Amino acid sequence: MQQKTKSKLNQGMILKALDYSYEKAINGMPGFDSAQEMAESYKGNGKTKVENCNSLIRWQNTKATTSGFVTGLGGLLTMPVAIPANLASVIYVQIRMIAAIAHMGGHDLRDDRVKSLVYVCMAGNTAKDILKDIGIVVGQKVSQKMIANISGKTITRINQAIGFRLLTKFGQRGAINLGKAVPLIGGLIGGTFDGVTTNLIGNTARRTFINAK
C-alpha cells in the first residue's frame, strides 16, 4: 500500500531505489527483458552502435508512454523504500535504458564502477559536472582504463553525490508530499511518461558510454 502522508525523502532512500532498480534491470523481471537482452536485440542489423543506441532511446520514449506499459510496471515493482509505484517506474525504466546503453558500449554491468556511472547518467546534463567535482574528468566517453582506476572510496563519493543530486531533483529540501513527486521530477503525470526527460538521460548515457555527440 503506497504511503499517502508527507514523508522525508533522503539520499539513502534514493540510493536504495537505484540499487533495487539496477538489480531488476540487469536480472530482468517477468514480462520485461533485462538491460542486456534489450541491448542484444539491437545487434546484427547492420547499423552502427550509435544508430542502435538512438533506436533504443526512441523506443523507450515511445513504449514508456503507453498506459499498459506503465500499469504493468506499477504492479511488478515493489521498492524497499516508501515511494509510489509511478516514481519507482520512472527510475526503473531510465536505469534499464542507461544500463542497456552501457552494455552496448561493451561495459560489464556487474562491475560496481559501471553501476555508479549508470547512476550518474540519471543526472542528465549535469553528469560530467558531478564527476568533475569528485576529480574525474571525462572526455568524449568513459574509457575502460578510466573505469579501472575508480577506487571503492570514489564509488562511494559518486553514489553520495548522485544521491544528493537526485534528492534535489525529486524534492524540495528533502521533505515532499510523495503523492506529488511525479510532477516535480517530470516523470509520470496522470499515467503518462515524460519522454523528454528520458530522451535527455538517454543522450547523456550515449555520450558517456558510446562516444557520440
Side-chain angles (χ1 to χ4, degrees):
M1 187 172 180
Q2 294 297 342
Q3 189 169 330
K4 295 182 180 179
T5 59
K6 284 191 175 182
S7 299
K8 186 172 285 281
L9 193 65
N10 56 50
Q11 285 173 268
M13 292 171 69
I14 295 294
L15 291 174
K16 281 184 179 179
L18 291 176
D19 286 342
Y20 181 83
S21 295
Y22 193 84
E23 186 274 326
K24 294 298 181 184
I26 66 173
N27 291 323
M29 294 194 305
F32 297 93
D33 291 342
S34 68
Q36 299 95 314
E37 290 169 337
M38 186 163 65
E40 290 293 322
S41 70
Y42 285 86
K43 286 188 175 181
N45 57 14
K47 295 182 180 179
T48 67
K49 284 183 181 180
V50 172
E51 290 172 330
N52 285 330
C53 180
N54 288 337
S55 293
L56 186 151
I57 294 170
R58 286 194 298 270
W59 181 88
Q60 288 293 282
N61 293 343
T62 302
K63 183 69 175 179
T65 60
T66 64
S67 59
F69 183 85
V70 171
T71 301
L73 275 180
L76 287 169
L77 286 174
T78 306
M79 288 282 184
V81 288
I83 63 176
N86 48 10
L87 178 54
S89 299
V90 171
I91 294 174
Y92 167 75
V93 168
Q94 293 179 347
I95 284 288
R96 185 176 70 147
M97 176 184 65
I98 301 167
I101 292 170
H103 182 77
M104 281 182 169
H107 298 282
D108 180 7
L109 300 184
R110 302 286 177 179
D111 189 328
D112 286 340
R113 296 165 295 191
V114 173
K115 179 170 73 172
S116 288
L117 292 175
V118 167
Y119 291 177
V120 169
C121 290
M122 291 285 288
N125 288 336
T126 62
K128 282 191 176 182
D129 292 334
I130 290 174
L131 293 176
K132 185 177 179 181
D133 289 343
I134 294 172
I136 300 175
V137 179
V138 180
Q140 285 190 301
K141 77 163 188 173
V142 297
S143 65
Q144 296 289 356
K145 182 178 180 180
M146 190 212 83
I147 292 175
N149 289 331
I150 296 177
S151 66
K153 184 179 292 186
T154 300
I155 288 175
T156 299
R157 291 180 63 195
I158 291 174
N159 290 349
Q160 289 174 341
I162 194 61
F164 178 77
R165 176 66 184 85
L166 293 181
L167 177 61
T168 302
K169 180 181 177 181
F170 292 166
Q172 296 176 331
R173 297 188 181 90
I176 64 172
N177 184 324
L178 293 180
K180 297 179 180 178
V182 174
L184 289 174
I185 66 169
L188 287 166
I189 301 176
T192 300
F193 192 88
D194 184 355
V196 174
T197 302
T198 302
N199 191 64
L200 174 64
I201 290 174
N203 289 337
T204 299
R206 187 193 62 230
R207 289 192 296 267
T208 300
F209 293 111
I210 298 185
N211 191 16
K213 296 181 180 180

